[in-house]
Amino acid sequence: MRRQSRRHPDDGVTAAPGGGRYGEAVFRPGQAGEGRRIDVGALVYDDITVARLRALGAGPGWRCLDVGAGTGTVSSRLLDEAGVESVLAVDRDVRFLPDRPGLEVLEADITAGLTAPDVVLGRFRLVHARFVLMHLPEHERLITTLAELVAPGGVLVLGDAVDLTSDRTPDTPYTTVMRAMWQGLRAAIGTDVSWVPSYPQLLRGAGLGSVAAEIHVPPLLPGSPVSRFWADTWERSRAAMLATGLVDDAAVDAAIRYLDSEECAALSAGMLTAWGWKADDGASP
């Protein structure tokens, strides 16, 4: 594994209205247990993600780019299960990524641009980003940037959260705190999932074809990985949630207890996965 650093934190980066960014104001990598929180999320979503990537053809001979690779679980499974040739794993903080054959690690900020000659070299049969763009401004520009890194005949796959707590969803400890979380994260670090259902059209707008999408909603069950993930996420974003004025500490504590009780009856946020292909010699696959 080769580790590279091409960090340009101040070049063209737009901060959230509150001035913060993911990994700084909230979800800091150096905070104890943050790697474990990411891994619990991987337990929830990795099977779905990897199954989709393999169904799209990821396999031997594929050179892959995994953006916002986190702890490297998707990258590793592409190597171990799909048998891809190589994976370039990119993240702003690479401390959680493993040292292993076939995996190249690049510490870089995608908001500063990945297509410069000294950052990402070449093009990839698969470009994948999950739970990344929802935390970043200028998502249309970033999708165009990622599409430029797809080789002819290759595919761009994007996954992000969709909020299922609409105005008509009954009020429960869960829905109250989930709404406060989305509002608090948007104010603190710019997280915005309202545009995620637009992924198919955004992929088309980036020049990709054969676009499709799907949504997975993991069941909220006491003790399940997704319930543990949300409880830990709420703890780590508690200050941002309290700042909205929609909840207090007692409400957050009640919601965490609710997740682990038989009374819990709610829909988790879903994961929308969308993909689009780059034409190969004038014809989409």
Side-chain angles (χ1 to χ4, degrees), residues 6 17 34 39 135-136 140 153 171-172 201:
R6 295 290 189 272
E34 178 60 14
D39 278 341
H135 298 297
L136 299 174
E140 291 189 48
D171 289 332
T172 67
Q201 286 299 318

Side-chain angles (χ1 to χ4, degrees), residues 44-75:
V44 179
Y45 297 107
D46 273 9
D47 284 349
I48 298 299
T49 295
V50 174
R52 171 46 57 195
L53 298 180
R54 297 188 70 180
L56 290 170
W62 281 46
R63 183 170 181 250
C64 306
L65 172 63
D66 190 15
V67 177
T71 58
T73 55
V74 171
S75 297

Side-chain angles (χ1 to χ4, degrees), residues 63-284:
R63 183 170 181 250
C64 306
L65 172 63
D66 190 15
V67 177
T71 58
T73 55
V74 171
S75 297
S76 291
R77 289 182 65 171
L78 282 170
L79 291 163
D80 294 336
E81 299 174 27
V84 302
E85 177 182 322
S86 64
V87 179
L88 173 60
V90 177
D91 210 303
R92 286 181 63 225
D93 190 302
V94 300
R95 73 184 70 190
F96 300 129
L97 288 167
D99 186 352
R100 54 157 300 158
L103 183 67
E104 183 178 354
V105 172
L106 173 65
E107 188 174 71
D109 188 335
I110 70 166
T111 62
L114 287 178
T115 54
D118 65 336
V119 183
V120 173
L121 300 178
R123 297 295 180 265
F124 301 84
R125 187 72 179 274
L126 166 67
V127 176
H128 170 253
R130 187 181 71 182
F131 301 139
V132 177
L133 299 184
M134 59 187 269
H135 298 297
L136 299 174
E138 302 179 30
H139 45 269
E140 291 189 48
R141 177 181 67 83
L142 292 173
I143 289 173
T144 298
T145 296
L146 295 178
E148 291 173 356
L149 293 169
V150 179
V155 62
L156 172 59
V157 182
L158 303 176
D160 264 318
V162 284
D163 180 21
L164 299 178
T165 55
S166 69
D167 293 340
R168 295 194 176 188
T169 305
D171 289 332
T172 67
Y174 170 84
T175 55
T176 298
V177 169
M178 187 61 82
R179 290 169 184 147
M181 182 199 73
W182 292 126
Q183 183 170 320
L185 292 181
R186 185 165 186 171
I189 59 174
T191 300
D192 183 4
V193 298
S194 65
W195 59 271
V196 172
S198 302
Y199 265 160
Q201 286 299 318
L202 292 174
L203 290 172
R204 290 286 296 174
L208 303 178
S210 299
V211 171
E214 62 191 359
I215 293 178
H216 171 68
V217 182
L220 284 171
L221 299 170
S224 64
V226 69
S227 295
R228 286 164 30 216
F229 173 77
W230 287 124
D232 202 2
T233 297
W234 292 342
E235 287 287 11
R236 290 168 188 274
S237 58
R238 185 182 287 251
M241 290 157 50
L242 297 182
T244 67
L246 298 176
V247 294
D248 55 16
D249 279 313
V252 177
D253 293 339
I256 292 172
R257 291 193 300 271
Y258 181 78
L259 279 177
D260 204 31
S261 74
E262 293 297 333
E263 300 300 314
C264 183
L267 285 172
S268 174
M271 177 180 70
L272 183 146
T273 303
W275 58 92
W277 295 86
K278 179 166 286 189
D280 186 3
D281 296 328
S284 298

